[in-house]
Amino acid sequence: MDKNDMMDRIRELKKDRNAVILVHNYQIGEVQDAGDFIGDSLELSRKAARVKEDVIVFCGVHFMAETAAILAPGKTVLIPDSSAGCPMADMITAEDMVQWKKRYPGRKSVCYINTSAAVKAECDICCTSSNAEKVVDGLEGEEILFAPDKNLAAWVARTSSKKIIPWDGYCYVHNNIRAADVRRKKEEHPEAEVWVHPECPPEVIDLADRVLSTGKMVKEARVTDRSVIIGTESGIVYRLKKENPGKIFYPVKNTAVCRNMKKITLEKVFLSLEKMQFHVTVPPLIAERARGAITRMVDLV
Ligand code: 13P
Ligand code: SF4
C-alpha cells in the first residue's frame, strides 16, 4: 500500500471506529498529516478531555496516552507502538516519589506531565513546560519538590520566589543540545533568533532569546517576522514550516531526535485502527488519584 492509499484507509477506519487521532508536535510529518489535532502535552490533555469520538489513537509517548486515558474515562485509548515510552518519565517511580516525600515532609510536590500515572498519583499537582512556573508559584509553602526534570526545575527556579528541590532526571534529547551547538548555529545564521525548550540545560537557556514550550513555539511562529533557530526535538520543524510557508526555521542540530516519538509511523497508525491495538489503560485507583493532580493543573491554567 502506498502512502496515499494508507491515508485513505486511515480516514475510512476512523469513520468505522468513530476514532480521532491526536498527535504530539514531535511526531514525524506524515503522522502529523494524518492527525485530527496536533499539540503540546497540555493542549493534547485538554483535547483528550473533550473528545466526542469513542476511540482516541494517541500518537505520542506512553505517559501522554495514559493522561488521555485518565482524562477521558470510558473512551478507548490506543497507542500505535506500545514500546514508545519516555526515558525521562522512567527516571522516577511511584516508590521513589513516596520515599522522596518522606524525606521532605510537609512540602508540596509537583510532577511534570512527563511521568507515569502511578507517579502522578503520588503528587499534589502536575505541570507541563508551558505552565510550570504558574503551577509552582500557585502552591503553598516556601520549598517545592519538583520531578523529574532538573533542567525544567532550574528554569522555573530562575524566576520563582520558591526554593525548588529538583529530582535528578533529564531528557536525553534536550540535555544533548549543547551551548556549542547553539553558538555554531548562531554563527551560521546571525540574523536568526534562538528559541529553546525549557528541558534544555541552563547554559543553552543562557544563549536563548526565548524559552518556550512546543505549543508556544507554534503560536509565536505565526507572528514572528524573524527566522528562528529551534532548540527542541526537530520533529516540530515540520509543523512550523508547514504552517508558516516562507518563514525560515533551523533545527539547532539534526540529531535532536526523540527515538521514542519516532517509533510511531503511518503504517502503525493504520494497523492501530485496523486491529484496535495497543490499548492503554490505567488501574482505576491510580487513575482517580492521578486525575486529581492533572485536573488541579488544568483548572489552574
Ligand atoms: P511539550 O509539553 O512542550 O509538548 O513537551 C513535551 C516533551 O516531551 C518535551 O520533550
Ligand atoms: Fe521524553 Fe525527551 Fe522524548 Fe520528550 S523528547 S518524550 S522528554 S525523551
Side-chain angles (χ1 to χ4, degrees):
M1 213 188 313
D2 72 14
K3 294 262 162 67
N4 290 334
D5 291 342
M6 209 174 279
M7 281 288 192
D8 289 343
R9 285 293 290 132
I10 287 172
R11 271 190 282 273
E12 285 165 15
L13 281 164
K14 257 189 348 184
K15 274 197 201 130
D16 295 348
R17 308 288 194 212
N18 191 23
V20 63
I21 302 179
L22 304 188
V23 179
H24 190 266
N25 289 323
Y26 293 161
Q27 291 288 296
I28 59 170
E30 58 197 42
V31 171
Q32 293 191 26
D33 292 342
D36 296 297
F37 183 84
I38 313 176
D40 69 5
S41 28
L42 180 62
E43 293 161 344
L44 292 170
S45 302
R46 288 212 166 104
K47 184 69 185 174
R50 292 194 312 260
V51 296
K52 301 269 184 301
E53 291 80 358
D54 299 321
V55 177
I56 298 172
V57 179
F58 203 105
C59 301
V61 288
H62 193 261
F63 75 82
M64 296 179 177
E66 270 192 337
T67 307
I70 292 165
L71 293 177
K75 308 281 179 191
T76 298
V77 177
L78 305 174
I79 189 163
D81 185 318
S82 57
S83 70
C86 167
M88 172 159 68
D90 295 338
M91 288 178 185
I92 185 163
T93 65
E95 185 49 29
D96 290 334
M97 195 72 212
V98 170
Q99 295 306 328
W100 199 35
K101 286 197 307 186
K102 278 190 189 152
R103 278 178 44 213
Y104 293 97
R107 274 64 156 203
K108 295 281 185 204
S109 52
V110 178
C111 62
Y112 192 22
I113 195 140
N114 296 40
T115 46
S116 66
V119 169
K120 290 184 180 80
E122 300 300 336
C123 288
D124 291 303
I125 189 165
C126 220
C127 76
T128 73
S129 55
S130 62
N131 62 26
E133 206 180 323
K134 205 165 170 187
V135 166
V136 165
D137 286 343
L139 289 173
E140 282 169 18
E142 290 315 305
E143 294 190 339
I144 306 291
L145 299 177
F146 191 101
D149 188 10
K150 63 179 179 185
N151 290 333
L152 180 59
W155 165 241
V156 174
R158 288 189 187 205
T159 49
S160 176
S161 56
K162 313 271 183 191
K163 176 172 188 279
I164 301 200
I165 304 168
W167 189 257
D168 191 21
Y170 61 90
C171 162
Y172 72 97
V173 180
H174 290 89
N175 213 47
N176 272 339
I177 297 175
R178 297 293 151 90
D181 298 320
V182 178
R183 284 199 194 96
R184 196 174 310 117
K185 274 285 165 198
K186 276 175 76 147
E187 269 166 34
E188 282 170 31
H189 308 289
E191 77 296 348
E193 273 195 342
V194 178
W195 297 357
V196 306
H197 194 277
E199 288 175 16
C200 291
E203 61 278 15
V204 167
I205 287 191
D206 287 341
L207 296 173
D209 296 297
R210 311 199 58 187
V211 181
L212 301 166
S213 70
T214 62
K216 286 187 181 158
M217 285 184 192
V218 168
K219 289 193 184 81
E220 293 302 318
R222 291 179 188 139
V223 293
T224 189
D225 54 7
R226 302 278 300 274
S227 50
V228 188
I229 296 165
I230 297 291
T232 189
E233 210 278 344
S234 53
I236 195 174
V237 173
Y238 176 83
R239 180 173 181 190
L240 296 175
K241 287 185 173 169
K242 186 176 166 186
E243 291 187 0
N244 302 282
K247 294 190 186 177
I248 300 173
F249 303 96
Y250 306 104
V252 70
K253 65 199 276 192
N254 291 329
T255 51
V257 173
C258 177
R259 293 187 291 277
N260 311 71
M261 285 279 178
K262 271 37 181 186
K263 286 185 177 177
I264 314 280
T265 60
L266 195 61
E267 188 181 7
K268 288 181 191 169
V269 176
F270 159 67
L271 289 172
S272 180
L273 278 163
E274 192 186 52
K275 297 180 192 266
M276 293 294 283
Q277 66 189 18
F278 296 92
H279 288 255
V280 177
T281 54
V282 180
L285 279 180
I286 292 180
E288 199 181 308
R289 294 177 65 205
R291 193 178 300 117
I294 300 165
T295 49
R296 278 191 280 282
M297 164 188 82
V298 172
D299 290 347
L300 190 88
V301 292

